[in-house]
Amino acid sequence: MPEHTVSSFDAELKELGRKVVEMGGQAERLVADSVTSLIRRDAALAQRVVLLDATCDQMQREIEEKAILVIAKRQPVAGDLREVVASIRIANDLERIGDLAKNVAKRVIAIEGEYHPQKLVRGVEHISDLVLEQLKEVLDAYAGHNEAKAVEVWGRDGAIDTMYTSLFRELLTYMMEDPRNISVCTHLLFCAKNIERIGDHATNVAEIVYYMVTGQNLPESRPKADASSETTVAFPGRTVQG
């Protein structure tokens, strides 16, 4: 391949990577703002998250189109091909993260005006902090082609699942203690599940980054610890299973 063509191809790969990092930053902001809107009961900020999700969708389409064009023009192989394909796959996960942040924001809008003690959202705030840290680190791993950091993120997925299971049980307990909490806690359960799913997508990105850098797959069985589906709680007159 002529030197000027190689230089042009490298520039296209860097531009593709830049677009993915930019989209990652946007997805990260949407998640952070959706959680902030929940903690502060800020429906206006939640509405802003809902509207800005369209930006993530547009970025995903642009990355996909750019990547397909690069494949068609350059016919990359080996590591270059993995990098182009990784951009498409990561953009898909980031688009889903934006959707999940939008879902949290919609729940904030739904419970606007409903009274709820601040302690009810504390657990959601804690799991959000952990998920945001995972998201930031996996985006850093992508930008730096750091497979070791990707493996670290991948290995911490179980901690998010464990925290989600604990939060699931805690919110069910609040519902049992005071029926007035049932409506808000139901919305918070959905918020927590959306945030836990964001953690799953961060783990997906970690797997993609590892493959992009090394050409090898991580073990198929990722560390999972979500036991919410096995949780059984007895309400007066009935039993609820997660």
Side-chain angles (χ1 to χ4, degrees):
M1 188 182 292
E3 186 177 339
H4 72 277
T5 304
V6 171
S7 177
S8 177
F9 179 39
D10 287 344
E12 288 175 346
L13 283 181
K14 286 180 181 178
E15 175 64 12
L16 200 52
R18 186 195 65 77
K19 284 180 176 290
V20 173
V21 170
E22 182 183 359
M23 183 181 179
Q26 176 70 4
E28 197 175 348
R29 282 190 295 275
L30 289 179
V31 175
D33 285 350
S34 68
V35 174
T36 299
S37 71
L38 175 64
I39 295 166
R40 297 180 181 173
R41 308 177 193 186
D42 188 338
L45 180 57
Q47 188 63 51
R48 183 169 175 270
V49 171
V50 172
L51 294 174
L52 286 177
D53 175 59
T55 306
C56 255
D57 296 341
Q58 179 61 29
M59 287 179 167
Q60 186 269 334
R61 287 190 293 270
E62 289 176 0
I63 289 168
E64 188 174 85
E65 290 169 3
K66 175 72 173 175
I68 290 171
L69 185 61
V70 169
I71 292 172
K73 283 173 56 183
R74 306 298 186 185
Q75 299 182 349
V77 296
D80 291 337
L81 179 59
R82 292 199 304 272
E83 192 156 342
V84 175
V85 172
S87 69
I88 297 174
R89 294 176 62 194
I90 291 173
N92 286 337
D93 275 299
L94 293 175
E95 189 272 333
R96 285 296 300 130
I97 286 172
D99 286 344
L100 291 163
K102 179 175 69 173
N103 290 346
V104 172
K106 285 181 175 179
R107 294 286 171 178
V108 174
I109 295 168
I111 60 177
E112 183 184 11
E114 288 192 40
Y115 169 76
H116 56 277
Q118 197 62 23
K119 68 178 181 179
L120 295 183
V121 301
R122 202 166 294 137
V124 179
E125 182 178 5
H126 289 160
I127 192 173
S128 301
D129 289 342
L130 186 56
V131 166
L132 279 167
E133 182 182 353
Q134 290 279 85
L135 186 54
K136 179 184 182 304
E137 290 194 8
V138 81
L139 291 171
D140 287 345
Y142 169 74
H145 288 64
N146 189 333
E147 74 273 19
K149 181 170 281 191
V151 171
E152 285 180 20
V153 172
W154 181 83
R156 290 201 297 264
D157 186 55
I160 294 174
D161 293 333
T162 299
M163 188 177 291
Y164 169 71
T165 300
S166 174
L167 178 57
F168 181 88
R169 291 169 176 160
E170 180 184 349
L171 289 172
L172 285 181
T173 300
Y174 286 140
M175 293 163 73
M176 291 170 59
E177 289 175 349
D178 188 343
R180 291 174 299 178
N181 291 332
I182 290 176
S183 175
V184 169
C185 283
T186 300
H187 286 292
L188 291 178
L189 282 170
F190 280 108
C191 287
K193 186 60 183 176
N194 284 322
I195 292 165
E196 187 266 339
R197 288 289 297 130
I198 291 170
D200 286 342
H201 283 287
T203 305
N204 288 348
V205 174
E207 292 174 350
I208 296 166
V209 170
Y210 184 84
Y211 179 74
M212 178 186 77
V213 177
T214 69
Q216 299 176 344
N217 290 311
L218 283 165
E220 290 187 15
S221 55
R222 68 171 60 174
K224 298 296 290 180
D226 177 7
S228 60
S229 62
E230 301 169 7
T231 301
T232 302
V233 179
F235 285 87
R238 61 195 178 103
T239 297
V240 174
Q241 184 165 5

